[in-house]
Amino acid sequence: MHPPSSPARQWRVSPALPATKLAAALGLVALGLLLATGDPVQWVLALAAAVGLVGWAVRDLIAPVRLAVDADGITVWGYAGRRHLPWDVVEAITVDRRTRFGLSGETLEIDAGETLHLLGRADLGTSPTEVAESLRAARP
């Protein structure tokens, strides 16, 4: 796998998302302090959830780009690093639409044979349908 040339287009996490996660972490710590009257279990649970949210937010701040496309192929960033997918390994680019609990959601699916990469609106900062159209248009 080689790194991509300069990306023609990138999709990244919205800057509001890590800020929201950090604010929620602070809220959990405050709530834990308020409600943990003599019971350390509530405080520990609130702190553990806050630490998880902070870790998730830090990842969004350190590596905000989740997807890039150029003439050579698609680059996907995940928790373990990035992976470049040349166009000849990309078998399909689809959008999965599902409705759960009255809410509809879309997921971009990039099928690269042995691997399947799934990205949602929060990862891309825009509609997965728009991203799929851009990826298909960039494909030679």
Side-chain angles (χ1 to χ4, degrees):
M1 287 190 262
H2 65 285
S5 58
S6 63
R9 182 97 195 261
Q10 292 182 342
W11 291 272
R12 61 183 54 234
V13 172
S14 168
L17 193 59
T20 303
K21 291 173 186 175
L22 291 172
L26 285 173
L28 279 172
V29 169
L31 192 62
L33 285 172
L34 270 169
L35 299 177
T37 55
D39 185 9
V41 173
Q42 291 176 347
W43 168 242
V44 170
L45 288 175
L47 188 60
V51 167
L53 278 172
V54 168
W56 197 13
V58 166
R59 189 241 182 190
D60 290 345
L61 292 170
I62 291 173
V65 176
R66 295 292 195 267
L67 183 69
V69 64
D70 60 20
D72 296 333
I74 298 171
T75 304
V76 181
W77 279 263
Y79 285 101
R82 70 177 175 211
R83 182 166 186 174
H84 183 73
L85 307 169
W87 286 117
D88 58 342
V89 270
V90 176
E91 294 179 5
I93 300 168
T94 59
V95 176
D96 181 38
R97 290 175 186 83
R98 295 185 187 238
T99 302
R100 291 187 186 128
F101 305 113
L103 300 172
S104 61
E106 294 181 330
T107 304
L108 175 67
E109 297 181 355
I110 302 170
D111 185 356
E114 294 182 16
T115 60
L116 180 65
H117 303 274
L118 305 171
L119 299 138
R121 179 181 286 274
D123 294 314
L124 302 169
T126 189
S127 166
T129 300
E130 293 174 18
V131 176
E133 291 169 4
S134 296
L135 293 176
R136 288 185 200 112
R139 190 175 195 156

